[in-house]
Amino acid sequence: MSKVTVVGSGNWGSVAAKLIASNTLRLKNFNDEVRMWVFEETLPGGEKLTEVINQTNENVKYLPGIKLGKNVIADPNLENAVKDADMLVFVSPHQFMEGICKLLVGKIKDGAEGISLIKGMEVKKEGPCMISTLISNQLGINCSVLMGANIANEIAMEKFSEATVGYSQHKEVAERWVQLFTTPYFIVTAVNDVEGVELCGTLKNIVAIAAGFVDGLEMGNNTKAAIMRLGLKEMMAFSKLLFPSVKDSTFFESCGVADLITTCMGGRNRKVAEAYARNGGKRSFEELEEELLKGQKLQGVLTAKEVYEVLSHHGWLEMFPLFSSVNLISQGRLPPSAIVEHSDNKSRCLYTRKFGNSSL
């Protein structure tokens, strides 16, 4: 029977553990127990977070009020949490993953499979590296991805949602991930396009930042819809430039347009960006993240910076005016109102000449 470990215990990590734990109890090919690695924290009352999770069956800091399942075991020791796992679910902020992988080298069970629920990328001198690739390269395991229109708190309350598993090989392994995550309220499908699925989940956070600026400046729904459409267009163009194998159809799965819509309507990136715009860019994203997210981490601002580095390196900045503007605004180099200035004639002409005047 396969043993499952969740590497990460934030908001989404705790929800993932809840989904998985409900299935390992009923599926004969999985071990009942689900280990969840928790970065140990001391709560205001002096208790250790892992101890409270194991005593109450609840992540009182990152997912309060939700029972995870009595078969979820919080473990503060990363090596111990993963040592017997056949299936590893990675769901930590992407900026921490390289360090986590370094700690896990040589500690993973032979033949283990991985899946990344992480939205982001690493940018190195040699170019961008997707998190699934980072995991595969450093740990020597096959790594699929799971992305979708998934606001964690809504899934925790068992409201209907969808997600997409992206894989590059071994369809039968992808189907096991589908089996492990699927519940009556969380429907998962698999597509053979790991890069496309992962880039959808990564890039939509940049567009959500833009949508937040629009909300904060009270520009209205027409403007927000235009930003989302242009954002989708840039998501597709950027993905195909990096990975020509990416499929158009992937953008119409849950990981694509559905995730883009839900993240631009809700979610932490939109929320903090709205506050940033309402304050005229005078309060930093770091300050607002601390105030509004209570320990959760923002991904969109860092991803915008990483994507900007890629665009700058390749000389593509003018071809991606929305992505470029989000980074410059987030870094305080442009005012929030500049979010609508990306659609001037010069930028549109460059954009149309490079990518064509598609219907998107």
Side-chain angles (χ1 to χ4, degrees), residues 179-199:
Q179 185 183 34
L180 186 61
F181 278 95
T182 297
T183 71
Y185 60 89
F186 191 71
I187 305 303
V188 184
T189 55
V191 298
N192 185 9
D193 185 7
V194 65
E195 292 89 1
V197 173
E198 189 166 9
L199 279 163

Side-chain angles (χ1 to χ4, degrees), residues 30-308:
F30 293 100
N31 188 285
D32 287 354
E33 181 182 284
V34 176
R35 288 266 157 182
M36 181 174 72
W37 173 64
V38 177
F39 180 79
E40 189 67 280
E41 300 180 56
T42 301
L43 298 173
E47 312 97 327
K48 298 294 186 183
L49 179 58
T50 50
E51 294 175 1
V52 173
I53 292 173
N54 288 330
Q55 289 167 4
T56 66
N57 191 226
E58 182 180 327
N59 189 332
V60 295
K61 180 168 184 180
Y62 295 110
L63 195 65
I66 301 295
K67 297 299 181 183
L68 302 181
K70 293 182 179 180
N71 52 325
V72 174
I73 307 299
D75 192 333
N77 185 304
L78 178 60
E79 184 177 341
N80 187 66
V82 305
K83 67 178 182 180
D84 296 320
D86 302 286
M87 304 181 79
L88 294 160
V89 180
F90 294 95
V91 56
S92 297
H94 83 274
Q95 58 266 39
F96 302 144
M97 275 310 301
E98 186 166 15
I100 289 172
C101 285
K102 286 179 179 178
L103 292 172
L104 292 179
V105 172
K107 309 295 186 355
I108 301 297
K109 185 176 180 179
D110 288 344
E113 289 282 338
I115 192 166
S116 171
L117 280 59
I118 300 164
K119 298 171 179 179
M121 65 172 65
E122 291 276 327
V123 176
K124 302 178 181 295
K125 289 180 181 179
E126 57 271 26
C129 176
M130 304 311 299
I131 298 300
S132 63
T133 304
L134 175 75
I135 293 168
S136 293
N137 289 345
Q138 291 209 14
L139 301 182
I141 63 174
N142 179 51
C143 189
S144 305
V145 298
L146 183 144
M147 307 283 161
N150 306 143
I151 292 178
N153 287 345
E154 294 183 8
I155 301 169
M157 293 185 286
E158 303 190 3
K159 296 181 178 180
F160 181 81
S161 185
E162 300 176 314
T164 309
V165 166
Y167 69 97
S168 58
Q169 54 184 327
H170 309 310
K171 184 178 180 180
E172 65 277 8
V173 174
E175 292 298 337
R176 289 184 70 209
W177 287 119
V178 169
Q179 185 183 34
L180 186 61
F181 278 95
T182 297
T183 71
Y185 60 89
F186 191 71
I187 305 303
V188 184
T189 55
V191 298
N192 185 9
D193 185 7
V194 65
E195 292 89 1
V197 173
E198 189 166 9
L199 279 163
C200 281
T202 296
L203 299 173
K204 56 92 182 184
N205 283 330
I206 304 177
V207 188
I209 294 285
F213 293 152
V214 169
D215 287 344
L217 295 168
E218 299 182 356
M219 291 180 172
N221 291 328
N222 292 341
T223 304
K224 190 170 181 177
I227 290 292
M228 292 165 67
R229 184 191 72 84
L230 291 166
L232 179 61
K233 197 168 186 178
E234 291 196 13
M235 286 169 59
M236 295 181 72
F238 183 80
S239 299
K240 286 176 168 292
L241 281 173
L242 289 186
F243 299 99
S245 63
V246 167
K247 301 172 182 177
D248 285 347
S249 58
T250 299
F251 293 87
F252 299 95
E253 299 288 341
S254 178
C255 63
V257 66
D259 195 8
L260 177 65
I261 291 169
T262 197
T263 310
C264 288
M265 301 303 291
R268 65 188 70 163
N269 290 282
R270 189 218 61 82
K271 178 180 181 179
V272 178
E274 178 183 11
Y276 182 84
R278 288 193 185 280
N279 284 279
K282 295 178 181 177
R283 297 182 65 192
S284 70
F285 270 93
E286 292 81 4
E287 180 184 356
L288 292 167
E289 177 187 71
E290 178 66 27
E291 178 183 309
L292 298 174
L293 301 186
K294 309 300 182 186
Q296 296 180 54
K297 294 298 180 184
L298 208 59
Q299 298 298 309
V301 172
L302 181 56
T303 300
K305 182 176 183 294
E306 292 164 339
V307 167
Y308 189 90

